[in-house]
Amino acid sequence: MTSAFSIPDRSAAVATPASNDVPVIRQYMRIAMRWRYVILGATVACVLAGLIITLLMTPKFTATATIEISREANQVTNFQGVERETSVADQEFYQTQYGLLQSRSLSERVATQLRLVDDPSFYERFGISRDEPAFQLVNGRYPASGREIRQRVAGETLLKNLNIAPTRLSRLVDIRFTSPNPEFSAKIVNTWSEAFIQTNLERKVEATSYGRNLLQRQLAQQKERLDESQRQLVGYASQERIINLPAQSNADGSTSERSIVADDLASLNTALSQATAERIAVEARYREGGRAGASSEALRNQAINALRQRRAEYAADYQKLLTQFEPEYPAARALKSQIDQLDRSISNEERRVSGSLETEYRGAVERERALKARVEQLKGSYLDLRRRSIQYNIFQQEVDTNRALYEGLLQRFKEIGVAGGVGVNNISIVDQADIPQKPSSPRLLVNLAISLLAGLGLGAALAFALEQMDEAIADPAEVERRLGLPLLGSVPKVDGVTPRDALLDRKSDLVDAYLAIQTNLAFTTEHGVPRSLSVTSTRPAEGKSTTALALATMLARSGKRVILVDGDMRSPSVHHLGGVNHDYGLSNFLAGQEDIAPLTFDMADLGFTAMSAGPIPPNAAELLTGNRLSLLIERLHEHFDHVVIDSPPVMGLADAPLIASRVEGVVYAVESHGIRSTLVKTALARLASANAHIFGGVLTKFEARKAHYGYGYEYGYGYGREKAEAKG
């Protein structure tokens, strides 16, 4: 047997769309229409309350003055003041100004300036009445001892009625004050703006004066430190015989000095580098001069080149003579003698060149050696100076630091002396407050609009709250959504006619509804409509007996042999439909009677056979406990195609679960707008504990006009609709 709440997949065709498929707007409209009187009542109550409150309110007048707050003051000099300048993106400056406009000190200053602290009419105007001694009039005046308390209260009162409204993306700020007196409101706003400008100037002057005095003390201290550090530096230099040459100042303001030893070492090191380079060049030429006639000096010597040219000419002439004469020929011998003389001259000249290169090389080597010795001597002196200059450099850095601090403080002191006496201001009044001509509050239309919105909101909240607390099954979609039951169909509520008469009228809406239920029931099992089923509900009078009667009638009209068994032996009803008594029926068979025929009767007008409940037993549950009911269903199947049992309600009784466990399944009737879903879930849980198979639910006594979603559940098509319209 399948689980209590499961059905075959073919039954999916009977399910109606869940409420989640309904557009949200339609859901809200449904809630609003259902609880429209609640929403309307809340709205009317809020509007009336708003109207009464508005009429009882004292008219108040709001005066407005506009001031401009610049990021930086229009400076007459090029010097900066003590307060730091604010950048373009620095919103902290403006937020600070807004806070200063609403400061307690400014409000108390305005109250003192206008003499509101000791003015009884001021406190009376704003409804301030206290039992403190500071507010007790003595001869028409307040006591002087409570002036501080009254000043604080007056300042708090002004702040409560003040509003600072900056204009977005601008430097303009509106100062607004509201009171029952228009002249008083204008006076407060104008005094407030002027007092703010005065306090701003005073704050700058105080800051400049304080800064000047502070800088003057710091200058004196820094001057003493600078003098002391200079004395330490000079004394140490004299003691260690450190002589430095002054040089130009660095980019960071410090002064760098160079010693004489460092300058000598640098110059001699440069000379040594040049001597080394010259020695290397001379040595290279000297090495080349070792090869006779092959040195670059010899090749560049003009005298040697001239001798070689002459020798070449004589050699050419000598070779010409040899082609005609013997070497002993006088002319040839003379040319040969001249060639030999030229060779000796060339050799002597080359030896002279080599000798000069050697002399130059030895001089370069000696000069390099002397420079190296001097550089090494200066290195030692420089390292010794470096060791002795460590403390000197420390003193020099301290002097540079003290001098930079002193010069910075001195420059700042001069700037404050000039900028502090100019008295510039970055706040100006754009528009002074005029006396308001009409009250700013109460505003009747605005208050009524707010009351209307508040009423609608309150009504909507109440409607949603009532909707959430309402557990009634309002429409067919909630059978599946709330109870988890497949919906077999919904049955309209029938007024003015009995269910039997409605079933006899084949054009009635009731017949159409149960025909749809029979069709959906055919998809719940593999063999179509279940052969045995019971119809039950949570409590009495939910339409279960009508559903059982209608299902039996619809099955009989489809050509099936059907028997309707009245299983409610505590409150039988089927015998009334047949016009018989219940002296014989189900209880007789369960008690042991074997003959079934005397226990049944025909309902010819509806086309099926019925069995009454029989005599009411002392305990119906005891009769249902045995196997006699299962035996009865088996024997009835021998003569009938379908057995429909009108079961008792589930709640509080054991009869319905016992009957449900003996049949193929249960059709569960749920009354629309008549029972809470929690009770139905409890009853379904009892059936589930009995391993009952529930085919689905039938929503009885359904009224489409009360449904949550007013579409898809209308009855009557064709003649049915015409009949409905005729009734309307």
Side-chain angles (χ1 to χ4, degrees):
M1 181 175 292
T2 58
S3 63
F5 296 101
S6 62
I7 61 172
D9 293 341
R10 293 179 299 170
S11 64
V14 307
T16 58
S19 62
N20 292 336
D21 296 335
V22 179
V24 177
I25 299 299
R26 292 191 65 103
Q27 296 183 34
Y28 290 157
M29 290 299 297
R30 188 272 308 164
I31 296 176
M33 290 301 297
R34 184 181 183 191
W35 305 102
R36 57 187 178 274
Y37 295 112
V38 174
I39 298 176
L40 181 61
T43 303
V44 171
C46 288
V47 170
L48 291 177
L51 178 61
I52 295 173
I53 293 174
T54 301
L55 295 177
L56 294 178
M57 289 177 65
T58 302
K60 293 185 178 182
F61 299 84
T62 300
T64 303
T66 303
I67 63 174
E68 179 186 6
I69 303 177
S70 301
R71 288 192 179 92
E72 55 188 25
N74 299 321
Q75 298 181 358
V76 178
T77 67
N78 292 328
F79 300 113
Q80 298 176 345
V82 174
E83 293 181 319
R84 69 176 183 87
E85 296 180 358
T86 43
S87 61
V88 175
D90 191 5
Q91 293 300 320
E92 178 184 352
F93 169 75
Y94 282 110
Q95 296 299 326
T96 302
Q97 297 301 314
Y98 304 152
L100 292 175
L101 275 170
Q102 302 176 82
S103 62
R104 180 177 57 84
S105 60
L106 182 59
S107 64
E108 293 180 359
R109 177 171 182 161
V110 172
T112 303
Q113 188 171 345
L114 295 179
R115 299 180 179 179
L116 303 177
V117 178
D118 299 323
D119 187 3
S121 61
F122 168 74
Y123 300 102
E124 182 181 355
R125 180 180 294 116
F126 291 95
I128 300 175
S129 178
R130 297 192 178 185
D131 297 332
E132 301 176 11
F135 290 91
Q136 302 300 322
L137 292 173
V138 178
N139 297 326
R141 294 183 179 182
Y142 288 121
S145 59
R147 182 176 177 82
E148 292 183 0
I149 298 176
R150 293 195 302 275
Q151 185 176 11
R152 177 178 54 82
V153 173
E156 293 175 354
T157 304
L158 293 179
L159 284 177
K160 289 180 182 178
N161 295 273
L162 182 75
N163 180 29
I164 303 300
T167 303
R168 189 171 179 270
L169 301 178
S170 72
R171 295 177 294 183
L172 302 179
V173 181
D174 291 338
I175 304 175
R176 300 169 183 170
F177 188 82
T178 303
S179 73
N181 190 308
E183 292 83 4
F184 181 78
S185 297
K187 183 188 299 183
I188 290 294
V189 170
N190 292 329
T191 306
W192 201 285
S193 57
E194 293 173 358
F196 180 64
I197 294 176
Q198 293 174 1
T199 55
N200 183 61
L201 288 173
E202 292 173 0
R203 192 163 47 251
K204 287 189 174 183
V205 171
E206 290 176 359
T208 302
S209 177
Y210 175 79
R212 183 187 302 173
N213 296 333
L214 178 62
L215 285 177
Q216 192 170 8
R217 291 193 300 270
Q218 291 180 347
L219 272 174
Q221 296 174 1
Q222 196 61 38
K223 183 66 169 56
E224 294 179 0
R225 293 176 185 174
L226 178 59
D227 295 342
E228 179 64 25
S229 61
Q230 287 178 340
R231 284 192 294 268
Q232 289 178 351
L233 177 64
V234 174
Y236 184 80
S238 300
Q239 178 183 349
E240 298 294 335
R241 301 186 62 80
I242 299 175
I243 302 175
N244 292 333
L245 300 177
Q248 61 181 3
S249 299
N250 296 330
D252 57 358
S254 63
T255 302
S256 62
E257 297 180 346
R258 292 176 60 87
S259 65
I260 297 177
V261 176
D263 285 345
D264 292 344
L265 179 60
S267 60
L268 286 177
N269 190 52
T270 302
L272 176 60
S273 299
Q274 294 177 355
T276 302
E278 292 175 359
R279 190 264 305 167
I280 293 173
V282 172
E283 184 179 4
R285 292 197 304 271
Y286 173 71
R287 301 299 180 191
E288 290 178 356
R291 296 172 294 176
S295 66
S296 59
E297 293 292 333
L299 293 176
R300 291 195 299 269
N301 192 284
Q302 295 181 358
I304 295 175
N305 290 335
L307 291 174
R308 286 176 177 172
Q309 185 177 2
R310 288 176 59 189
R311 184 188 181 284
E313 292 175 355
Y314 287 162
D317 293 340
Y318 179 70
Q319 292 298 327
K320 287 181 181 181
L321 289 176
L322 290 180
T323 58
Q324 297 177 0
F325 305 101
E326 292 294 332
E328 297 300 329
Y329 182 69
R333 291 177 61 186
L335 285 175
K336 178 64 175 164
S337 176
Q338 292 178 356
I339 291 173
D340 293 339
Q341 182 62 35
L342 288 173
D343 288 338
R344 287 191 294 274
S345 299
I346 291 172
S347 298
N348 292 333
E349 192 66 28
E350 287 178 349
R351 283 194 296 272
R352 186 185 65 80
V353 170
S354 298
S356 64
L357 287 175
E358 182 179 2
T359 302
E360 184 179 359
Y361 169 67
R362 294 184 183 279
V365 170
E366 184 63 26
R367 186 166 54 255
E368 181 185 12
R369 185 181 299 110
L371 287 173
K372 279 186 178 180
R374 181 57 180 164
V375 167
E376 291 298 328
Q377 182 182 359
L378 287 176
K379 284 183 179 179
S381 300
Y382 181 72
L383 291 176
D384 181 63
L385 179 64
R386 288 286 300 273
R387 286 192 295 272
R388 289 183 290 113
S389 297
I390 293 176
Q391 185 62 36
Y392 178 85
N393 292 333
I394 294 175
F395 288 147
Q396 182 65 55
Q397 291 176 0
E398 185 176 357
V399 169
D400 293 339
T401 302
N402 291 334
R403 180 180 290 110
L405 291 175
Y406 177 76
E407 292 176 353
L409 290 173
L410 181 60
Q411 180 64 25
R412 192 62 173 163
F413 181 77
K414 294 178 181 178
E415 294 173 0
I416 291 177
V418 177
V422 176
V424 295
N425 189 30
N426 62 328
I427 302 173
S428 60
I429 299 176
V430 178
D431 292 323
Q432 286 192 338
D434 295 329
I435 299 176
Q437 302 300 319
K438 58 181 180 179
S440 58
S441 65
R443 302 172 64 180
L444 180 60
L445 295 180
V446 174
N447 290 351
L448 290 180
I450 295 175
S451 301
L452 178 62
L453 294 177
L456 291 175
L458 178 61
L462 291 175
F464 278 107
L466 293 174
E467 182 70 17
Q468 294 298 321
M469 292 186 295
D470 185 15
E471 295 185 2
I473 306 299
D475 58 64
E478 293 186 347
V479 173
E480 183 174 0
R481 179 171 60 87
R482 289 191 178 186
L483 306 179
L485 284 178
L487 179 65
L488 298 176
S490 57
V491 180
K493 185 176 182 180
V494 179
D495 296 323
V497 63
T498 62
R500 179 170 182 171
D501 294 336
L503 291 174
L504 292 175
D505 183 6
R506 300 199 176 192
K507 296 182 180 181
S508 66
D509 294 339
L510 198 66
V511 173
D512 291 339
Y514 280 109
L515 280 175
I517 294 172
Q518 176 193 350
T519 302
N520 292 333
L521 197 60
F523 295 104
T524 57
T525 65
E526 295 181 354
H527 54 270
V529 178
R531 296 198 62 194
S532 62
L533 60 92
S534 66
V535 181
T536 186
S537 62
T538 306
R539 64 184 184 185
E542 285 194 66
K544 64 176 182 59
S545 298
T546 302
T547 300
L549 176 67
L551 287 177
T553 303
M554 296 303 106
L555 291 173
R557 288 178 181 175
S558 64
K560 303 295 183 178
R561 294 173 298 169
V562 183
I563 182 171
L564 174 62
V565 179
D566 190 352
D568 191 354
M569 292 179 288
R570 302 174 186 269
S571 179
S573 60
V574 174
H575 64 281
H576 294 296
L577 301 175
V580 299
N581 54 38
H582 58 90
D583 295 338
Y584 301 95
L586 175 63
S587 60
N588 298 105
F589 184 86
L590 296 178
Q593 181 176 341
E594 296 295 335
D595 191 6
I596 297 177
L599 307 179
T600 63
F601 60 92
D602 292 331
M603 298 188 67
D605 52 351
L606 297 178
F608 60 84
T609 303
M611 176 184 291
S612 68
I616 298 176
N619 192 332
E622 292 182 358
L623 294 179
L624 295 171
T625 303
N627 62 349
R628 294 289 294 176
L629 180 60
S630 300
L631 178 62
L632 174 63
I633 295 174
E634 291 179 2
R635 294 182 59 180
L636 290 177
H637 280 163
E638 297 175 359
H639 304 281
F640 299 97
D641 298 321
H642 301 283
V643 177
V644 180
I645 301 178
D646 181 10
S647 176
V650 177
M651 294 302 294
L653 302 175
D655 303 8
L658 292 173
I659 295 175
S661 63
R662 303 296 193 274
V663 295
E664 284 189 64
V666 178
V667 174
Y668 203 92
V670 180
E671 182 182 0
S672 174
H673 295 283
I675 189 170
R676 300 198 307 272
S677 58
T678 52
L679 295 177
V680 180
K681 290 179 181 179
T682 303
L684 292 175
R686 290 195 60 194
L687 292 178
S689 63
N691 294 325
H693 183 118
I694 301 177
F695 295 124
V698 175
L699 188 64
T700 62
K701 303 179 183 180
F702 174 65
E703 298 180 69
R705 61 184 178 84
K706 294 183 179 180
H708 285 186
Y709 314 106
Y711 65 91
Y713 304 114
E714 294 183 1
Y715 294 91
Y717 178 77
Y719 55 82
R721 181 178 294 276
E722 294 173 357
K723 182 177 180 181
E725 293 176 352
K727 290 181 179 180

